Amino acid sequence: MSSLDARLNRRPAGRHRAPRDPSAAAEIPLLMRAVRDLTAAGVGTVRGWVARAGVLAPLSGFLLYVVLSAWAGDAMSIPLGGGLNLGILLGLLQLAGFLGSAVRGELRDRASEPPR
Amino acid sequence: MTLSPSAQTAALAIFSVLATLAMLLCILTASDSGDPLDFYTGYRTPLPWTNGLAVAGDYISAATVLSTSGIVALSGYDGVVLVLSTVLSLLLMSAVAEPLWRAGGFTLGDIVARRIPGRSVRAAASAVTLAALLPFLLVQLSVAGALMSFMLGAPDDGVKAVCICVVGALMIGYAAFGGAKGTALVQIVKMVILLGASLTVVLIVMQRFHGSTTDLLHAAEQGSAAGGAYLRQGLEFGAGTRGRLDFVSVQLSVALGTGCLPHVTMRMTTGNDARAVRRSMSWAVGATALFGLFVVVMGVAAAALVGHGPITASDPQGSTSMMLLPQALGADFPSFGEAVLYAAVGGAVFMTLLASVAGLTLAAATSIARDLFAQVIRRGRGAQRSELAAARWAVLGIGLPAVVLAVLVRRWNLQVLIALAFCIGASAVAPTLVYSLFWKGFNRRGLLWTLLGGTAAVAVLMIFSTAVSGSPHALFPTHDFHWFPLQTTGIVTVPLGFLAGWLGSRSWSGVRVRRPRPAMEHPVPVGVHDAPTGE
């Protein structure tokens, strides 16, 4: 396929820089390369984590909730007021949190809208 | 539970009115500019709330509404978590909506080809889009047949087939004439009706239980025939390690896969600037979260007021619980009240069915016209008018076989196809979007490995899962050839999809074909080095 693209004057694939010496790349073990790629993606930096907080906080919170629901069922069924238990309440609170973050985002973007 | 003739008449009347209204909207708003972009985009300058409701409308499909409310009614806790993961998925997508908008385009192929162009990439993106959307379309059509024949009070085979054909004909009409603009209007109308009808039901339920959650939940525990287990994880997937892993797998697949299905991303990128895109996503997430809350209350109320026995007698998966609830509530207001409430909820469900099948058909046809026809077959040099014609023919080419197939398999339990679509979204599309938007090292081989490898892994594991054979609710309940012990594959295939993309993007000294270094007197421009490997 790529030779077809070259004939069509398409932008080629790849990293758009001259290739590294393949023997040099082969010397780095796979695990080291994984660490290097993660670092390059900003995983090791505070800034990278702050930028991803909007995605990671709800996702990791939810996954933790799912795992706790599955393996800590006794703790999640501690009865609280109003017929609710801890698990149901945590679920409803997350749902309310999603709704709240949407409302907050809309209000923030509406406030920063330039007047027409 | 029998329907009064007045409720049936009201349902039939409201179906005809809604279907005609939606068709009129489609024809009136259709653009005749001959520019295919007008066919794919909703409005060039949409208001945030209208576009947000259209995104939410495309996102909340009929099959998910009905099956999720059924799972809440029958299994309580598991259903509540499922609602949560569904809303979360759209919230996660709202975080990548801005980079997606910057990448531009409508289809999955447009998004990835911006950085990694090529016919193979377009063809793979289109194949994955169709692999996710066509099974999803099939299950929506099948649900449409079952639900409509139920709402008309005649749940038999012939009526079901006729209903599938009627919905299919309307769907082809909406998608072919209306394009994205017409279907956007249908989605907005659907969301307004759906939110309004569910709010009414929720208010009547709360009034019935005097606003007391204690009474409601207690009645639900009684009605569900499960007692305290109703508010604990485990009713839907069973106890034990396998049930727990199944629960985690389903939640993971839904949270990562639902939002990045191509018919949702196609609608998300409409907007003039980054702020408009963000605002419409805020509206979409807000509407979805609100509706999720309503689904939880309606599901619990169905368990409390209808009860486990009547729900499973009507449908083993509980898909009809949303229609049984207004009947139970309406018994308080004889005849007229019952008819109005039933027709309102029935109309909302009917509109949801129509809008979701039309949206799915349009997204699949767009992928065929833009990725396969314009880029792979015509190599980007075809006329725009021919691309538009291809899109319209593709609507017909997808719609007709889907309707015929849905009629043929109308007796099967197709729930597994919903799981298939979500798992492909989570295992192939989600890693592709994350890598191509946020990782500079992602290259063509990594892209193809993720898209094709992720989809192939899902397909293989799904065929040999307990959702296809070896369990009473499987696609083939009388056969047993399963060796994968779970119902959904997400817990295995999501890491696999991410790993495939990363491994494919690495240079492997042993795998890569060595090429002679270019001679120094003929310097090759930077960047062309990677091109002629023929891999």
Side-chain angles (χ1 to χ4, degrees):
Chain A
M1 283 302 171
S2 44
S3 61
L4 257 170
D5 295 330
R7 243 178 283 147
L8 289 169
N9 276 334
R10 287 272 169 70
R11 233 160 50 109
R15 293 176 298 283
H16 310 301
R17 48 182 138 92
R20 268 174 284 125
D21 185 8
S23 58
E27 282 164 16
I28 310 174
L30 196 64
L31 199 65
M32 290 273 289
R33 276 190 254 162
V35 170
R36 197 184 54 193
D37 283 340
L38 287 174
T39 319
V43 169
T45 61
V46 174
R47 212 173 134 197
W49 283 110
V50 169
R52 286 167 182 76
V55 175
L56 288 179
L59 180 60
S60 45
F62 174 74
L63 289 181
L64 185 68
Y65 169 72
V66 165
V67 170
L68 283 179
S69 300
W71 276 277
D74 287 336
M76 294 303 244
S77 49
I78 295 171
L80 300 169
L84 300 164
N85 62 25
L86 183 62
I88 295 282
L89 188 72
L90 282 179
L92 291 179
L93 280 181
Q94 283 183 74
L95 199 55
F98 299 161
L99 187 61
S101 80
V103 171
R104 207 191 54 186
E106 163 65 11
L107 291 179
R108 188 190 54 214
D109 281 326
R110 185 187 285 176
S112 67
E113 187 99 9
R116 303 188 184 182
Chain B
M1 198 164 289
T2 50
L3 264 179
S4 68
S6 64
Q8 268 177 48
T9 319
L12 196 59
I14 205 152
F15 291 172
S16 328
V17 169
L18 284 176
T20 321
L21 186 81
M23 200 60 175
L24 273 178
L25 283 178
C26 271
I27 292 173
L28 287 179
T29 54
S31 80
D32 50 358
S33 66
D35 183 356
L37 296 190
D38 277 342
F39 190 71
Y40 309 137
T41 38
Y43 294 86
R44 286 286 163 88
T45 53
L47 293 170
W49 71 268
T50 54
N51 197 43
L53 283 186
V55 173
D58 256 321
Y59 184 67
I60 300 173
S61 77
T64 41
V65 170
L66 299 170
S67 68
T68 309
S69 62
I71 294 174
V72 175
L74 293 180
S75 310
Y77 196 103
D78 291 350
V80 173
V81 183
L82 199 61
V83 169
L84 201 55
S85 59
T86 310
V87 179
L88 174 69
S89 188
L90 198 64
L91 185 82
L92 294 178
M93 284 316 282
S94 75
V96 298
E98 221 179 303
L100 266 184
W101 172 77
R102 283 187 212 290
F106 309 98
T107 63
L108 184 61
D110 286 340
I111 294 166
V112 293
R114 175 73 178 257
R115 258 196 56 208
I116 306 172
R119 291 170 69 199
S120 56
V121 169
R122 289 274 186 175
S126 185
V128 172
T129 303
L130 297 179
L133 292 190
L134 295 185
F136 206 42
L137 177 61
L138 194 60
V139 68
Q140 308 275 353
L141 279 172
S142 152
V143 166
L147 241 287
M148 270 184 72
S149 57
F150 173 80
M151 286 189 281
L152 295 174
D156 78 53
D157 241 20
V159 179
K160 211 185 263 185
V162 172
C163 288
I164 292 175
C165 292
V166 170
V167 170
L170 288 170
M171 144 191 117
I172 292 171
Y174 295 158
F177 292 121
K181 207 178 270 186
T183 49
L185 258 181
V186 176
Q187 299 287 9
I188 294 165
V189 171
K190 152 206 161 172
M191 277 310 287
V192 172
I193 297 179
L194 192 60
L195 283 173
S198 353
L199 179 65
T200 315
V201 171
V202 166
L203 288 178
I204 294 176
V205 165
M206 287 331 266
Q207 186 257 344
R208 175 83 171 254
F209 287 96
H210 313 292
S212 157
T213 52
T214 319
D215 290 354
L216 174 62
L217 288 170
H218 187 69
E221 283 184 350
Q222 298 293 317
S224 69
Y230 186 71
L231 295 180
R232 274 189 79 140
Q233 189 273 324
L235 269 189
E236 176 74 12
F237 305 99
T241 309
R242 182 194 283 195
R244 288 166 178 174
L245 282 177
D246 230 341
F247 173 73
V248 174
S249 183
V250 166
Q251 306 300 349
L252 184 72
S253 313
V254 171
L256 292 181
T258 324
C260 54
L261 285 178
H263 65 291
V264 185
T265 51
M266 179 180 159
R267 195 72 80 186
M268 272 168 48
T269 49
T270 312
N272 281 334
D273 53 42
R275 185 187 291 114
V277 172
R278 277 201 311 267
R279 282 185 66 184
S280 68
M281 281 311 284
S282 294
W283 276 94
V285 173
T288 311
L290 199 62
F291 182 66
L293 215 56
F294 294 164
V295 167
V296 170
V297 177
M298 287 191 292
V300 172
L305 296 174
V306 182
H308 187 269
I311 294 176
T312 45
S314 169
D315 180 281
Q317 268 81 43
S319 302
T320 48
S321 74
M322 213 170 144
M323 295 310 307
L324 293 170
L325 179 61
Q327 287 179 32
L329 286 173
D332 285 358
F333 322 94
S335 141
F336 181 70
E338 181 191 355
V340 169
L341 194 62
Y342 184 73
V345 176
V349 171
F350 176 66
M351 206 62 195
T352 311
L353 288 166
L354 279 184
S356 38
V357 288
L360 284 169
T361 314
L362 183 72
T366 304
S367 176
I368 288 183
R370 257 186 102 69
D371 293 335
L372 277 187
F373 178 76
Q375 297 295 330
V376 176
I377 297 173
R378 291 287 171 89
R379 301 180 184 187
R381 288 179 291 194
Q384 291 205 321
R385 196 160 272 282
S386 68
E387 189 185 323
L388 182 60
R392 291 217 159 106
W393 281 110
V395 167
L396 198 64
I398 290 166
L400 274 185
V403 170
V404 171
L405 207 58
V407 169
L408 290 179
V409 300
R410 64 185 178 277
R411 288 193 197 88
W412 298 9
N413 175 16
L414 296 176
Q415 296 289 323
V416 57
L417 295 182
I418 307 181
L420 177 74
F422 291 168
C423 286
I424 290 179
S427 318
V429 183
T432 305
L433 288 183
V434 168
Y435 281 146
S436 63
L437 292 177
F438 301 113
W439 184 34
K440 289 195 178 62
F442 196 45
N443 64 20
R444 172 178 319 208
R445 190 169 51 182
L447 177 71
L448 293 178
W449 282 26
T450 316
L451 279 177
L452 302 179
T455 309
V458 169
V460 169
L461 287 186
M462 214 70 196
I463 288 172
F464 297 104
S465 72
T466 54
V468 171
S469 69
S471 74
H473 295 312
L475 182 61
F476 305 113
T478 51
H479 295 72
D480 187 1
F481 47 86
H482 86 277
W483 47 260
F484 185 71
L486 305 179
Q487 290 176 21
T488 42
T489 65
I491 203 166
V492 175
T493 51
V494 169
L496 215 60
F498 276 97
L499 192 66
W502 181 73
L503 284 178
S505 300
R506 304 310 315 167
S507 58
W508 296 83
S509 53
V511 173
R512 170 166 279 194
V513 182
R514 293 284 182 93
R515 311 182 294 276
R517 288 294 187 90
M520 287 308 288
E521 56 268 34
H522 299 293
V524 178
V526 172
V528 180
H529 293 290
D530 284 341
T533 54
E535 56 192 25

